[in-house]
Amino acid sequence: MATDLTGPAKASRAWTRRHLLDLEHLERWEIEAILDTAASFREVSARSRKKVPALQGKVVVNLFFEPSTRTRTSFSLAAKRLSADTIDFTVSASSMAKGETYIDTARNIEAMGIDIMVVRHQTPGAPHVLARTLNCSVVNAGDGAHEHPTQALLDVFTIRDIKGRIEGLTVALIGDIAHSRVARSNIWALTKLGAHVIVCGPPTLIPRSIAELGVEIAYSLDEILPRCDVLNVLRIQFERQRAGLFPSIQEYFALYGVTEERLKRAKDDVLLLAPGPINRGIELTPGVADGPQSAVLRQVTNGLAVRMAVLYLVSGGAPRPALVH
Amino acid sequence: MQRSLLIKQGRVIDPAQRMDTVADLLVRDGRVAMIAPSIQESADEVLVAAGLIVCPGLIDMHVHFREPGDEQSETIATGAAAAIAGGFTSVACMPNTNPAIDTREAAEFVYLQAGRARQARVYPVGAVTKARAGEELAEIGQLVEGGAVAFSDDGAPIASAEIMRRALQYTRMFDRAILNHPEVPELTQGGVMNEGIVSMRLGLPGMPRVAEEIMVARDILLAADTEGKLHLQHLSTAGSVELVRQAKKRGIRVTAEVCPHHLALTDEALTSFDSVYKVNPPLRTRRDVDALIEGLVDGTIDVIASDHAPHAPARKELELDRAPFGMIGLETMLGVCVRSLIEPGYLDWPKLIECFTVGPAQILGIDRGHLRPGVEADITIIDPDLEWTVDPEAFRSKSRNCPFAGWVLKGRAVHVFVAGELKHSLRPDAIRTNTGQLTTPL
C-alpha cells in the first residue's frame, strides 16, 4: 500500500469517540481527522479488489426508522469495504405503531451482537438517546431536522478536495434551512473549519436565531451570488408549501432556483453541491445539475470514503494521515 | 371522642393571619383550637417542633390524577398519597380525564375516590365545555352542585374567544374561577419545546412565546369586559408576566400561577433529548425564569402549582415528538421552590407559603390554607434544613416522569396532618403519646 507519510502526521491525536452523533460537539481537529482518514480510504475504492480488513469480524447494522436508499447503501458498502458483516434493518411506521418503542427495537437488535449501529430516525435526538442506552457504537445517519453528520462531512470533504481548502471560503446554503439536518451539520463543520457561511432562503424557512451560530442570513440569492465560492443547494420538501411557509413552488423557483442564467452572476469557478435527491427544475435546472460546476456525483463517491473513515474511527481505529491530496 | 394534639415551639407561619412566630399550636377534635406563645394544657399527643415550620396544609391547585381513564399512570388514591408526601393536604384536579369531569356525577366520583383513599383532600375542577371539546358549555351549575371548585378545559386551552367570553359570564353567578391554559393552538402545532436558539440547534419544532401571550392578552380583555373571575395557569414567559402585571394595575380581576419546573429549568435541558423535559408550556429561557421570579416577588403571580402530570414510563419513553407533554411535581415542588426561590433570597418562607395557601384558597373559594381557630386542622410541618436526594423510585406517585431525579434538595415536609389526623411522617417517633399528665418540656 502506497502510504506516503511526508511530514508530521496531522491526525496523531488520540481519537476517543465511540459514537458519531453530531458535528456540533466535534472539535476542529476531529473533523480534520475524519477528512484525512477518508482521504486515505478513497484509494481503496480505486483498487480492483475494493476491500481492507480494518473491521473484519465486526458487525454493522443499518437501523433505519425512515426510508432512505442512498445513505443506507453508502453505509452498507462502506462497512463491506472495511470487511465488516452488515445487516440492514428498516423499521416501517406500521411496525412502530404496534407498540414497541424505538428503544426496545434497538435493544433487541443490539442483543444479536452488534458493534456499530448506524441510525436514521425522523426525530431529533433519537441516536443520542440510543447511544446513552446501548453498549454498541452509534453513528447518526440523519435525525429529523437536527443533524446529518456524514452528509456534511462528505460535503466539506468534496469542497476541500476541489478547492484545496475550507478556511476563508464563502459557502452559501440555499433553501429550507429551518427543517434541514444537512444545513445544521454543514454550518457546524464549515464554521469550525473557518469558512464564511451564508444561509439563503425565505424568512419563513430561516430561523432568525441561526445568526447566533455565526452565519450570515440573506434573503436574496442574486445579491450574494457574486461573493460565493460554493453553493450547497438544499432539497425543498413540497409539504412546506402546503404548510404555508411559501406560496408556491413556482415562486420558490423564481426566487431561489439555481439556473444557468442566474449562475452567470457567480464566480466562474463556483462549486455547486446538492445533497440530493434533486428535484430537477425546482432547486436546480437540469443544465446546472449536470453542468461543469456541479460536483453532485463526486459527493456520492466521496460519501463512501467518509463513511468508511467514520466507521473505522468509532470502532477504535487510529486516525490515518492523509495521502498527499 | 375528643382527641388533642399539641405542637410545641414550632415556627408558626400563617400568611392569612400575617403570623410568623415561634408558638404552640393546639389541635382539638380535628380543629385548630388555639395558637399561643406557650400552651400549658394536657394533650393526648405532643410533637415538639423546635426548628421546624408549622404552617397551614399546603394546597396545589393544579394536578392531573388520570382517573378515570388512565389508571396505569395515576389514580386519585396514588395522586392524593403523593400530595401528602409532598406536604400538600389539598389539591385541585384537572378535568382532562377519560371521560372528562364534565358532569355532576363525574365530580362526585372524585370526592368518592378521594374519600376512600383518605389521603389529601381532592377538589374536582369541572370542564368548561362538554367533553372538553371547546364547543358547548358543560353543565356548570350541576358541576357546582357536585362540588366543582373551578372550571377549566386544561390539557387544552379554551380556544374560542366566544366560548371563553360566555364561560366568564356564566360562572359569575357561582363566583367560580375559569382556569385557562393560555396557548393559541395553531401557533404551536407540532411543537415540542420553546422556540428559540436551542430549538433551532436541535432541529426540534418550537412553540413560540407569542402563542401563550396572545391568549393571555385575550383572556385579560375578556375578563375586563365580563367582570368574570379569570385565573391564568402556568405562565411561562416574561411577556405573559408583564401583561398580567399591567392588568392588575388596571384593576382587572385576574390571578396567575407558575410551576416549579418553569423556575428551576430552562430549554437548555432539552439538549439531552430526554422526553422527561417535554412539558407544555415548554421550558423557556433564563430571561423568562427571571421574569417569573420577579412576578412572584412583586405579587403579579399569586400561586405556585405543580401541574403534576403523570405518564406511565412506556408512554414517556417515546421519541420527543411522540411522547406526551408533562412531568410530575407533587413530591418535589416544595424542595425545588426552596432551591429556586428561598436559597437565592428571592422569597422568604412566609411569602412562599402564601403562594401555597391563601393564594390558591382564595382563587378556589375554599376554607383552607389558614390556621384560624375553629378551622379543620390541615397542617404541614416542614424541616427547612432537611437535605434529601430525589429518588423517583421512592415516590408514592405511580409515575416516574420527574425531571429532578438525583437532585439534592433542602426542605421537606416531615409531618402532615389532615383534619388533625396524621397522614404522613418521616419521624413518627417524634410524636409522644401522653396519658393525661401535664406536658413537660423534653
Side-chain angles (χ1 to χ4, degrees):
Chain A
M1 199 166 121
T3 318
D4 187 345
L5 283 170
T6 47
K10 261 171 36 181
S12 60
R13 291 166 83 168
W15 181 275
T16 55
R17 291 181 189 273
R18 294 181 50 240
H19 310 291
L20 181 70
L21 301 174
D22 52 53
L23 299 186
E24 177 177 356
H25 298 99
L26 289 199
E27 293 187 37
R28 177 179 179 144
W29 76 264
E30 291 176 302
I31 294 173
E32 286 171 339
I34 297 171
L35 299 180
D36 291 346
T37 305
S40 83
F41 276 129
R42 189 161 54 171
E43 159 271 340
V44 175
S45 295
R47 298 186 199 168
S48 61
R49 187 180 149 71
K50 300 180 171 55
K51 250 186 191 329
V52 287
L55 260 61
Q56 205 155 43
K58 304 265 187 193
V59 183
V60 177
V61 63
N62 284 317
L63 177 56
F64 276 52
F65 292 90
E66 188 183 70
S68 151
T69 320
R70 304 163 168 247
T71 305
R72 186 167 47 80
T73 308
S74 179
F75 267 110
S76 272
L77 208 49
K80 286 185 166 79
R81 293 212 168 149
L82 295 167
S83 307
D85 294 322
T86 68
I87 318 162
D88 284 357
F89 200 105
T90 301
V91 186
S92 65
S94 63
S95 73
M96 287 304 285
K98 282 175 191 153
E100 194 177 59
T101 68
Y102 76 107
I103 297 171
D104 286 333
T105 304
R107 277 198 193 113
N108 272 284
I109 291 169
E110 189 194 25
M112 297 177 203
I114 304 300
D115 298 291
I116 303 174
M117 197 175 279
V118 177
V119 180
R120 158 73 59 96
H121 201 292
Q122 62 276 10
T123 307
H128 300 66
V129 174
L130 292 181
R132 273 205 300 271
T133 314
L134 308 176
N135 295 311
C136 64
S137 288
V138 175
V139 174
N140 181 1
D143 60 329
H146 178 223
E147 286 221 33
H148 192 348
T150 57
Q151 176 68 46
L153 288 166
L154 75 87
D155 289 345
V156 293
F157 184 90
T158 305
I159 297 169
R160 195 176 79 161
D161 194 34
I162 293 171
K163 296 283 186 188
R165 65 190 168 108
I166 301 291
E167 185 99 46
L169 294 180
T170 296
V171 181
L173 303 168
I174 300 160
D176 182 1
I177 308 299
H179 303 93
S180 173
R181 52 190 173 215
V182 176
R184 280 176 185 72
S185 288
N186 260 282
I187 288 169
W188 293 119
L190 290 166
T191 53
K192 282 169 201 271
L193 295 175
H196 174 67
V197 178
I198 307 174
V199 291
C200 182
T204 45
L205 296 178
I206 301 188
R208 269 181 306 170
S209 56
I210 206 160
E212 294 178 46
L213 303 187
V215 303
E216 176 187 343
I217 295 176
Y219 302 125
S220 166
L221 178 56
D222 288 322
E223 274 176 28
I224 60 159
L225 219 38
R227 289 195 279 136
C228 294
D229 299 298
V230 181
L231 306 177
N232 197 340
V233 184
L234 304 176
R235 178 179 163 76
I236 193 85
Q237 290 183 330
F238 299 128
E239 59 259 35
R240 306 298 174 213
Q241 185 266 322
R242 288 192 290 272
L245 295 175
F246 58 91
S248 70
I249 297 291
Q250 290 74 16
E251 176 152 318
Y252 182 85
F253 183 68
L255 291 169
Y256 300 104
V258 180
T259 62
E260 288 97 328
E261 189 54 34
R262 190 163 259 148
L263 267 193
K264 288 178 186 157
R265 299 176 57 83
K267 293 181 182 174
D268 291 339
D269 64 344
V270 70
L271 173 65
L272 199 87
L273 304 178
I278 308 168
N279 299 308
R280 283 176 189 257
I282 292 169
E283 304 102 8
L284 294 172
T285 55
V288 171
D290 304 328
Q293 288 132 329
S294 167
V296 172
L297 293 177
R298 277 178 83 165
Q299 286 175 270
V300 178
T301 310
N302 290 339
L304 208 53
V306 163
R307 290 180 176 118
M308 286 172 77
V310 167
L311 293 174
Y312 168 78
L313 289 170
V314 298
S315 72
R320 293 154 63 107
L323 302 171
V324 174
H325 56 262
Chain B
M1 190 186 81
Q2 294 252 327
R3 287 194 57 78
S4 56
L5 162 72
L6 184 60
I7 301 166
K8 289 189 71 68
Q9 294 307 298
R11 176 182 173 191
V12 180
I13 299 178
D14 182 13
Q17 304 185 69
R18 302 263 150 246
M19 180 186 287
D20 178 6
T21 178
V22 173
D24 293 355
L25 187 157
L26 181 67
V27 175
R28 200 183 289 130
D29 201 21
R31 291 179 182 273
V32 174
M34 189 194 320
I35 299 173
S38 178
I39 300 175
Q40 300 298 323
E41 192 176 319
S42 94
D44 301 313
E45 288 172 329
V46 175
L47 169 59
V48 175
L52 306 181
I53 290 169
V54 177
C55 66
L58 307 180
I59 303 168
D60 183 352
M61 66 175 289
H62 191 151
V63 303
H64 298 267
F65 281 174
R66 307 301 186 206
E67 182 183 359
D70 181 19
E71 289 85 352
Q72 62 163 330
S73 295
E74 197 81 286
T75 63
I76 291 170
T78 58
I84 288 290
F88 292 82
T89 57
S90 293
V91 299
C93 65
M94 293 300 136
N96 61 331
T97 48
N98 188 16
I101 305 173
D102 64 350
T103 61
R104 175 180 179 150
E105 295 73 31
E108 287 170 345
F109 170 77
V110 173
Y111 282 109
L112 178 71
Q113 293 295 73
R116 284 176 174 150
R118 295 175 53 81
Q119 293 286 326
R121 303 177 195 272
V122 184
Y123 292 97
V125 171
V128 173
T129 63
K130 293 188 176 104
R132 296 174 53 253
E135 285 158 13
E136 295 171 74
L137 289 183
E139 291 178 342
I140 287 171
Q142 297 301 300
L143 278 157
V144 169
E145 286 295 306
V149 291
F151 294 87
S152 178
D153 275 358
D154 184 53
I158 298 162
S160 155
E162 170 62 359
I163 291 281
M164 185 63 178
R165 183 169 77 110
R166 296 304 183 193
L168 284 164
Q169 287 175 338
Y170 194 78
T171 45
R172 282 184 57 197
M173 68 174 145
F174 310 107
D175 196 32
R176 294 296 151 96
I178 300 288
L179 324 176
N180 198 20
H181 164 130
E183 174 190 355
V184 175
E186 59 268 30
L187 291 176
T188 57
Q189 250 172 29
V192 306
M193 67 174 293
N194 179 52
E195 182 177 294
I197 173 84
V198 182
S199 71
M200 189 278 298
R201 269 167 50 207
L202 302 180
L204 286 167
M207 304 166 81
R209 291 178 182 79
V210 283
E212 175 174 312
E213 291 157 4
I214 288 171
M215 199 172 281
V216 166
R218 181 202 76 174
D219 285 358
I220 286 169
L221 294 172
L222 288 171
D225 186 52
T226 59
E227 298 183 348
K229 191 173 175 183
L230 170 67
H231 174 75
L232 294 163
Q233 299 180 298
H234 44 50
L235 295 189
S236 70
T237 79
S240 294
V241 176
E242 187 52 31
L243 286 164
V244 173
R245 181 177 291 126
Q246 295 309 321
K248 284 189 164 185
K249 272 189 194 152
R250 287 165 49 207
I252 298 167
R253 188 152 73 144
V254 55
T255 54
E257 87 192 14
V258 65
C259 302
H261 47 268
H262 289 128
L263 302 171
L265 300 168
T266 66
D267 58 356
E268 282 286 341
L270 271 302
T271 56
S272 66
F273 296 104
D274 190 335
S275 63
V276 79
Y277 300 110
K278 182 179 173 185
V279 65
N280 187 13
L283 304 175
R284 304 284 185 184
T285 63
R286 186 68 233 177
R287 192 181 138 259
D288 297 294
V289 170
D290 290 342
L292 292 168
I293 291 171
E294 209 184 308
L296 278 168
V297 170
D298 73 7
T300 299
I301 297 171
D302 309 86
V303 167
I304 304 173
S306 69
D307 194 3
H308 179 83
H311 292 291
R315 204 151 327 134
K316 201 66 178 170
E317 242 186 42
L318 296 173
E319 295 87 337
L320 267 174
D321 50 351
R322 297 172 72 210
F325 289 104
M327 39 182 70
I328 56 174
L330 273 167
E331 292 171 77
T332 50
M333 176 147 65
L334 188 59
V336 170
C337 287
V338 170
R339 174 160 162 163
S340 299
L341 299 169
I342 292 192
E343 284 176 3
Y346 297 120
L347 299 189
D348 56 14
W349 274 100
K351 178 67 187 169
L352 179 65
I353 289 169
E354 186 182 332
C355 294
F356 286 135
T357 55
V358 251
Q362 276 173 3
I363 294 161
L364 300 176
I366 56 176
D367 184 26
R368 306 282 169 218
H370 65 87
L371 295 171
R372 292 193 187 92
V375 74
E376 285 189 288
D378 293 5
I379 297 170
T380 298
I381 300 182
I382 299 164
D383 183 342
D385 301 315
L386 177 61
E387 278 201 348
W388 61 290
T389 303
V390 178
D391 173 16
E393 293 308 315
F395 282 171
R396 304 256 210 121
S397 169
K398 261 195 178 182
S399 288
R400 300 289 174 258
N401 52 313
C402 167
F404 304 113
W407 284 35
V408 177
L409 299 177
K410 203 169 159 186
R412 195 174 192 185
V414 287
H415 307 283
V416 183
F417 298 87
V418 175
E421 198 177 312
L422 182 70
K423 296 294 184 189
H424 172 69
S425 180
L426 294 178
R427 298 165 188 162
D429 294 348
I431 301 169
R432 302 287 170 89
T433 307
N434 256 345
T435 46
Q437 75 273 34
L438 277 178
T439 311
T440 46
L442 294 172

